[in-house]
Amino acid sequence: MPAEDVVTRARRDLHQVPRTPGAPKPDALLVADGVRRSFGGVNAVDVEHLEVQRHVITALIGPNGAGKTTFFNLMTGFDKPDTGTWVFDGTPLAGVPASRVAKSGMVRTFQLTKALARMTVLENMRLGAREQPGENLFTALVKPLWAPREREVTEKAMALLERFKLDTKKDDFAGSLSGGQRKLLEMARALMSDPALVMLDEPMAGVNPALTQSLLGHITDLRDSGTTVLFVEHDMHMVRHISDWVVVMAQGQVVAEGPPGEVMADQAVIDAYLGAHHDTDLGDDALLTEGGTIDAEAEAEADAEETKA
Amino acid sequence: MRAEASPDRTVAVRRGGAALLLLLLLALTTTVVAPAARAAAATCTPDEATACLHVTVTQPGTGPVAGARVTVEGPGGETEATTDASGRASVALDAPGDHTVTVDESTLPAGTVLRDPAANAVTIPVALGRAAGRIFPVVAAGAEGGDSGPAPSPTDGTSPGDDSTGTAPADETGEGTESSAGPGTNRVAQLVLAGLVFGVLLALASLGANLIYGTTGLSNFAHGELVTLGGMTAFMAVQWWDLPLWLGIVVATLVGAAVGWLLNRLVFAPLRRRGVGITQQMIVTIGLALAGLSLFLFFFGAQPAPVVSGISQRIQLGPVQISGQSLLSVAVALVVLGAVALTLSRTRLGRATRAVSDNPALAAATGIKVETIIGGVWVVSAALASLGGVLLALYLNSTRFNFGSTLLLLMFAAITLGGLGSPLGAVVGAVVIGLVVELSTLVLPSDMRYASALVILILVLLIRPQGILGRAERIG
Amino acid sequence: MDFGQLFTNVLNEMTGPTAIAYALAAIGLNIHFGLTGLINMGQAGFMLLGAYGFAVSTIAGAPLWLAFLVAVGAAVLFALLLGIPTLKLRGDYLAIVTIAAAEIVRMVGRSTALTELTGGAEGLTGNSFKSTFQDASPFPDDRWALGPITLATNASNSWWLRIVGWVLVALACLLVWRLVRSPWGRVLRGIREDEDAVRALGKNVYSYKLQALVLGGVFGALGGVVFVLASSVQADSLGRPVTFNTWTILLLGGAATVLGPVLGSLLFWAALVFVRGFLRGAVPTEVLSVQQVEQIGWVLVGLTLVLLIVFRPQGILGDKKELAINAR
């Protein structure tokens, strides 16, 4: 079945899902149960039940301090919950270290980008690939054992860099890239391992607003090529346009979920999350519809800005 | 290199006309300083009316030299002794003052000579109630600096931080005045007291390093040299310039503060401005430590430098004894620790300091002048280290060029144990370290007592990485 | 002043066992710090364990190959013992634990309790463990001159030891060169930059750090063996200053470069011997005693370390651009 059909069906299936926190999904890729994490008596995360549908873009939103990033850290093995279990694609992942979580096909990015600054862009990309015999200390000593795989990895890296328009920078140190480029690089690097689920932690944070459109485009591309996306965002504007499903967290708990349009109309969400500011436009389209064509130009400007700063 | 290194080992240095010969080599090379001296203590126990002089003659690589005749000449007359199978001769003396020790070279085994003939007939100051020791290394005639023997390589014979000297003060004088129990004391209680005293003094000395770590994230490897600086300044003030002790303490503290200010002003503030990473800054402190250590050795030589000569009266408290000197040190340390704690918790300045520790960026955003605070912390840190150095020198009877660097790891251990960056924790950690160091002598050979403290450090790190009082860190 | 003699001394020291030993130790430290970002403050501990491993097993009657194996094995064990518990903790803990562990090794080694095995603080004399190594030499017992340097062929600081030492250094460089340019080295550099990022890409960071710690420690142990083959095993001759010197050498040559540690070691010893020799020749002994000249040498080493960080943090061979990014 072509990827688009799978995606279309997965999105359509969501229509039948009840709009209640913890609703079961027809084809859940990630299922979390009773995940709790407290810091000094405060429950940072307290998720009863949550399912993430395969092949769609799910947004995890909530005000600052709602526990979104902590939830990410827990799911990906970067933090340990007090209690709770979760299953990814049929594999229980509770207590599994971060590296094995990533190997099982759930790859994440970070809110503060972790581009490996003193390595070139291409080296960053190569590092993302799986099953490299040359990463074993003893195999590494004999180049013929790993050179063929290295070539494959490099080809794949170049293809991805082209897609993310970073191919001209392949020999630059990642540390010399602009903030937006680093976000792109981190995303591209995550894709080197063909993950089933990409978890993006605030992909738009710290990026020049003019670049967000390009980033959003890459995220929808990801979905359309068959990768499931879960991303954290606290800015509703971004969420509305690209997500198929929205999960709202507040004070560590899932308070609502549903399609973006409905969730934003939900009075409970508005109260819990948007507070007094909801009278402003929840989805300012103007910024985004114009965006498409000004990408390259804006990026150049943003670059100039950053170098100055 | 080797060929030219040998003269170094055969020439002793005379410093400032003092009658103290710098037995650099003896300390720097292979010989057992403390174990020998301490074992010999079995035959002579210093008390209020007796001083002990332990002389060891030994051939590095071969072993102790028995049957060597040693002459000790002093105010109380002339005494002769012969070294036993362990190469030791112990002489009990009843008069304080300078004694001249001579090894009769004709009694050495055939074909051997003193490695450092110039250091024969050495003058050693002796105080009642204390033990002094000297070691005379012997080498095969003509084999000095030869390749086949245990001739130290260029590094070990000459490196100032070489740890044969590194632990020498620990072994020679490191046993505090309180850990050796006199008659009428309970050994365990005495050791607990010694541990507490040592812990409190260590806390004072290490508190500054902890403040620096808290505010800047820097592990200051030169902190030990600041401690030495304090001891040495007090030594100069009291012994060379004849100032009263209290004034010496004040001068040492002020000098420490000034050096702290200079260090920050000239080295670390510029490094921070240029955004030099914390690891690089740490390596800078290592360089400063090495330079500082060598400078102390350059100026003061390797011999112990007693801040106060003579021994103070011991006071009996129930089952334990404590010397007046130690009591004074502890009292000063407790007062200063209390003052620092109050300043940190009650004053605006203290609160600002803690804010910088918590989150410098946030503190800066709320209008706190972070750089000023850090500058102040450097001054206070170095002043505390200096003061701690004087008090520790009083407690351990003397200071020495590598006094602080020997204690550096114990200070790090105290800080880490208590939780990096937590001032109260450092005090608790230091007391724990002090107790471990002293009490471990109940079951371990005493030359392993510092090692036992470091083992505890590693164990605690494994079980409770945030330290005794530190908070668990939030990730991400 | 006899400059000819001075330069002979410098040349002799540059190519001598001490420089070789430090080069090996710095190569190991480079794997730790330059490649992986591990702050190992106890490289001297690895050296000392290697030295003890070699000497004690030889004295116990082990053949040469086994003694080398024991030295390497001791370093591997030490690395595992330190690494398994600490590499999961924050970076600066490794620094504290390694420096403490190295001190423990030294204190235990020189302790009277172990005099039978380690010779206590007096150590083990060279003659007690050098024979197997010297017997393995293909040369006749003689003294040979090469240029201005005349040395014994086999005994102690000999041509034989120098040849073996430099071959070891060359092999170590080759190995590092191969590894740096392999995917394995890439993972290590990734860890140096940001271990969480590498973890998020599915690499077992812990295992890689452990591998790096072990490998670097093994080079330290080999350095220790070379060090004591020229003299004797004394716990105190491989104390904290040795670790600090190794750091200076690494940063002088340039961390994260293949040849940096070797160049650093050559220059370090050349400079130290030159300064001492020069001062000794130029300043009369009444002004500065021989010992004081030594101290000046060490003060200069300390200051060099400071000035390096301030003015040329990338060392001689390092890439300025690469470092500038880190500072940002």
Side-chain angles (χ1 to χ4, degrees):
Chain A
M1 192 165 18
E4 294 104 276
D5 293 354
V6 177
V7 173
T8 320
R9 212 180 61 184
R11 296 173 73 180
R12 202 180 50 233
D13 285 348
L14 283 177
H15 294 310
Q16 276 86 54
V17 174
R19 276 58 163 156
T20 51
K25 308 290 185 310
D27 183 10
L29 180 60
L30 176 66
V31 180
D33 262 303
V35 176
R36 236 166 243 111
R37 175 76 167 103
S38 57
F39 294 109
V42 181
N43 276 341
V45 167
D46 185 1
V47 172
E48 266 323 306
H49 186 82
L50 180 67
E51 297 190 5
V52 176
Q53 170 81 346
R54 197 191 298 268
H55 292 312
V56 301
I57 300 177
T58 305
L60 187 58
I61 65 169
N64 285 331
K68 306 175 304 262
T69 296
T70 307
F71 183 68
F72 253 45
N73 287 345
L74 292 172
M75 291 295 110
T76 50
F78 279 86
D79 193 2
K80 288 201 168 47
D82 305 332
T83 60
T85 57
W86 59 102
V87 177
F88 170 73
D89 212 5
T91 320
L93 285 184
V96 171
S99 62
R100 298 238 321 269
V101 170
K103 265 188 199 150
S104 71
M106 183 154 98
V107 175
R108 71 171 293 181
T109 66
F110 294 86
Q111 188 176 342
L112 299 167
T113 40
K114 293 186 184 292
L116 305 168
R118 286 188 291 170
M119 295 168 74
T120 66
V121 168
L122 188 56
E123 290 277 68
N124 262 273
M125 293 296 287
R126 283 175 176 151
L127 195 57
R130 270 195 274 179
E131 274 147 37
Q132 300 194 55
E135 291 187 350
N136 177 293
L137 173 56
F138 298 104
T139 326
L141 294 173
V142 188
K143 190 169 182 186
L145 292 179
W146 50 265
R149 175 69 180 140
E150 185 81 350
R151 271 193 296 279
E152 287 169 30
V153 169
T154 309
E155 269 167 40
K156 184 171 184 181
M158 285 312 297
L160 274 170
L161 284 178
E162 245 165 80
R163 182 168 142 199
F164 284 84
K165 298 195 176 60
L166 288 169
D167 46 336
T168 53
K169 306 235 172 217
K170 71 181 170 72
D171 293 324
D172 292 7
F173 282 124
S176 68
L177 298 181
S178 74
Q181 287 170 330
R182 285 189 214 192
K183 287 274 183 195
L184 287 175
L185 172 60
E186 205 183 2
M187 211 185 287
R189 193 175 62 194
L191 295 180
M192 281 297 289
S193 61
D194 296 314
L197 173 65
V198 174
M199 300 177 70
L200 307 171
D201 195 352
E202 304 223 4
M204 268 72 81
V207 175
N208 186 317
L211 301 184
T212 49
Q213 179 61 23
S214 137
L215 264 165
L216 294 179
H218 285 302
I219 295 175
T220 46
D221 283 354
L222 277 183
R223 174 194 60 195
D224 296 340
S225 59
T227 312
T228 309
V229 178
L230 175 65
F231 77 104
V232 161
E233 187 54 67
H234 67 261
D235 187 342
M236 283 285 237
H237 302 202
M238 314 299 164
V239 171
R240 172 164 178 177
H241 291 273
I242 61 160
S243 52
D244 302 305
W245 193 259
V246 174
V247 176
V248 185
M249 282 182 79
Q251 280 148 1
Q253 292 175 315
V254 176
V255 292
E257 56 177 301
E262 288 176 41
V263 165
M264 287 175 199
D266 186 332
Q267 194 55 44
V269 174
I270 293 170
D271 291 347
Y273 169 42
L274 301 162
H277 301 293
H278 75 275
D279 50 321
T280 55
D281 187 0
L282 282 186
D284 181 0
D285 291 19
L287 177 74
L288 298 171
T289 41
E290 284 175 23
T293 51
I294 58 168
D295 259 18
E297 215 177 305
E299 188 132 340
E301 269 174 43
D303 274 3
E305 293 279 70
E306 289 200 16
T307 3
K308 253 185 278 172
Chain B
M1 175 64 218
R2 193 167 310 285
E4 68 190 11
S6 52
D8 310 2
R9 277 183 240 113
T10 52
V11 180
V13 165
R14 201 171 285 272
R15 170 77 205 147
L20 299 168
L21 273 176
L22 166 62
L23 291 181
L24 172 64
L25 299 175
L26 312 188
L28 279 175
T29 47
T30 60
T31 39
V32 200
V33 177
R38 204 165 291 124
T43 58
C44 169
T45 315
D47 61 39
E48 276 163 47
T50 317
C52 291
L53 188 57
H54 305 298
V55 179
T56 302
V57 182
T58 177
Q59 184 171 11
T62 306
V65 173
R69 196 161 60 235
V70 178
T71 315
V72 178
E73 215 176 336
E78 188 176 319
T79 322
E80 241 180 43
T82 309
T83 57
D84 59 12
S86 53
R88 283 187 293 263
S90 297
V91 179
L93 303 166
D94 50 13
D98 286 352
H99 287 70
T100 309
V101 180
T102 318
V103 174
D104 187 350
E105 293 200 53
S106 63
T107 59
L108 294 175
T112 58
V113 292
L114 281 180
R115 187 160 64 193
D116 197 351
N120 204 3
V122 64
T123 307
I124 301 171
V126 172
L128 290 182
R130 277 167 61 189
R134 268 299 179 273
I135 293 168
F136 291 87
V138 164
V139 291
E144 293 133 283
D147 279 329
S148 53
S153 80
T155 38
D156 56 18
T158 52
S159 156
D162 188 296
D163 272 302
S164 52
T165 49
T167 39
D171 295 337
E172 273 182 313
T173 60
E175 195 152 1
T177 41
E178 307 319 331
S179 48
S180 52
T185 60
N186 173 312
R187 172 129 193 255
V188 175
Q190 187 67 40
L191 286 177
V192 168
L193 175 75
L196 288 175
V197 170
F198 185 49
V200 167
L201 298 178
L202 195 65
L204 184 68
S206 59
L207 184 58
N210 206 1
L211 288 174
I212 293 284
Y213 183 87
T215 43
T216 64
L218 177 66
S219 300
N220 181 10
F221 278 76
H223 197 75
E225 273 54 51
L226 294 172
V227 171
T228 314
L229 177 76
M232 283 301 180
T233 312
F235 165 71
M236 285 191 295
V238 175
Q239 299 289 342
W240 293 6
W241 309 327
D242 290 327
L243 297 181
L245 179 60
W246 67 268
L247 197 55
I249 294 177
V250 172
V251 168
T253 310
L254 290 179
V255 167
V259 169
W261 184 80
L262 280 175
L263 274 181
N264 180 57
R265 189 62 193 263
L266 297 181
V267 183
F268 292 99
L271 286 178
R272 281 196 302 275
R273 257 201 311 280
R274 288 164 49 173
V276 171
I278 218 72
T279 308
Q280 278 83 351
Q281 289 188 36
M282 186 178 90
I283 293 164
V284 168
T285 66
I286 291 176
L288 289 173
L290 199 53
L293 188 67
S294 312
L295 275 179
F296 287 127
L297 184 52
F298 182 90
F299 285 117
F300 298 99
Q303 74 276 28
V307 176
V308 179
S309 30
I311 188 114
S312 70
Q313 197 59 45
R314 292 176 77 80
I315 302 157
Q316 182 89 26
L317 295 170
V320 295
Q321 287 182 351
I322 186 167
S323 75
Q325 209 165 291
S326 303
L327 208 56
L328 170 79
S329 297
V330 171
V332 173
L334 284 175
V335 168
V336 174
L337 281 175
V340 173
L342 272 182
T343 313
L344 279 179
S345 59
R346 294 290 162 78
T347 65
R348 258 183 86 81
L349 191 66
R351 278 196 294 271
T353 308
R354 284 186 299 146
V356 174
S357 297
D358 262 5
N359 186 339
L362 193 64
T366 54
I368 295 171
K369 292 197 178 83
V370 174
E371 272 301 313
T372 316
I373 294 286
I374 292 178
V377 166
W378 266 102
V379 171
V380 172
S381 162
L384 287 175
S386 251
L387 176 61
V390 185
L391 299 183
L392 276 164
L394 286 176
Y395 168 64
L396 298 173
N397 283 335
S398 67
T399 184
R400 215 173 128 148
F401 76 100
N402 63 355
F403 182 71
S405 79
T406 317
L407 291 171
L408 180 71
L409 275 187
L410 290 189
M411 293 194 278
F412 276 5
I415 296 169
T416 315
L417 273 189
L420 289 169
S422 140
L424 177 61
V427 176
V428 176
V431 170
V432 171
I433 291 288
L435 286 172
V436 168
V437 164
E438 294 297 348
L439 288 174
S440 71
T441 56
L442 286 174
V443 285
L444 285 174
S446 65
D447 56 356
M448 285 221 248
R449 57 213 195 109
Y450 281 11
S452 65
L454 298 181
V455 169
I456 297 284
L457 161 72
I458 293 179
L459 288 181
V460 169
L461 276 183
L462 302 186
I463 299 160
R464 201 177 152 78
Q466 70 271 34
I468 299 172
L469 294 183
R471 279 168 304 178
E473 239 183 299
R474 184 181 157 167
I475 308 157
Chain C
M1 189 177 353
D2 183 354
F3 276 101
Q5 185 58 41
L6 180 56
F7 283 109
T8 304
N9 286 344
V10 168
L11 191 66
N12 191 20
E13 188 62 26
M14 271 172 86
T15 56
T18 312
I20 297 171
Y22 272 93
L24 282 169
I27 288 171
L29 193 60
N30 194 23
I31 295 175
H32 294 153
F33 177 70
L35 232 52
T36 324
L38 301 175
I39 303 179
N40 171 15
M41 282 290 156
Q43 187 68 337
F46 285 96
M47 296 171 79
L48 186 55
L49 271 180
Y52 275 134
F54 182 87
V56 171
S57 58
T58 303
I59 291 170
L64 185 61
W65 62 271
L66 186 62
F68 261 104
L69 221 59
V70 170
V72 168
V76 171
L77 268 183
F78 190 55
L80 292 177
L81 213 64
L82 290 183
I84 287 175
T86 41
L87 287 176
K88 284 189 175 166
L89 305 176
R90 232 167 47 196
D92 40 354
Y93 283 132
L94 184 70
I96 295 173
V97 167
T98 45
I99 196 171
E103 284 291 283
I104 291 172
V105 170
R106 190 180 62 80
M107 289 178 191
V108 170
R110 77 194 295 280
S111 162
T112 43
L114 285 180
T115 309
E116 300 248 314
L117 200 61
T118 63
E122 297 205 348
L124 302 164
T125 56
N127 288 339
S128 59
F129 61 86
K130 281 176 189 165
S131 55
T132 55
F133 178 76
Q134 289 170 7
D135 292 347
S137 164
F139 308 129
D141 281 337
D142 200 355
R143 289 182 74 82
W144 290 350
L146 183 73
I149 302 174
T150 306
L151 291 175
T153 46
N154 299 325
S156 291
N157 178 3
S158 60
W159 289 115
W160 171 232
L161 178 58
R162 290 184 182 206
I163 290 166
V164 172
W166 283 112
V167 167
L168 272 179
V169 170
L171 287 176
C173 286
L174 205 65
L175 187 83
V176 170
W177 173 81
R178 177 71 276 161
L179 287 175
V180 168
R181 279 161 185 73
S182 76
W184 186 80
R186 182 161 67 218
V187 178
L188 293 195
R189 272 178 293 142
I191 292 170
R192 178 189 73 190
E193 296 304 305
D194 190 325
E195 61 174 82
D196 276 344
V198 177
R199 204 172 275 134
L201 295 173
K203 319 290 177 200
N204 188 344
V205 168
Y206 179 57
S207 158
Y208 280 101
K209 288 206 283 193
L210 207 52
Q211 290 171 30
L213 191 66
V214 168
L215 189 64
V218 165
F219 284 124
L222 291 177
V225 173
V226 172
F227 190 84
V228 296
L229 274 175
S231 52
S232 61
V233 187
Q234 284 158 16
D236 294 334
S237 64
L238 288 168
R240 246 187 293 166
V242 175
T243 300
F244 294 167
N245 293 345
T246 311
W247 273 91
T248 312
I249 283 170
L250 177 62
L251 293 169
L252 179 68
T257 62
V258 175
L259 292 176
V262 181
L263 184 69
S265 187
L266 290 178
L267 287 180
F268 182 89
W269 290 107
L272 202 59
V273 172
F274 179 81
V275 167
R276 284 186 194 151
F278 182 81
L279 284 180
R280 242 178 252 152
V283 184
T285 352
E286 299 83 64
V287 181
L288 280 180
S289 75
V290 189
Q291 275 80 4
Q292 287 177 317
V293 167
E294 299 287 341
Q295 299 333 318
I296 291 179
W298 292 111
V299 172
L300 288 178
V301 169
L303 291 181
T304 309
L305 195 51
V306 173
L307 294 177
L308 263 179
I309 296 291
V310 175
F311 293 108
R312 201 173 165 87
Q314 75 276 24
I316 292 166
L317 296 180
D319 182 345
K320 176 89 184 175
K321 199 170 57 163
E322 199 173 325
L323 219 92
I325 287 165
N326 185 40
R328 189 148 106 155

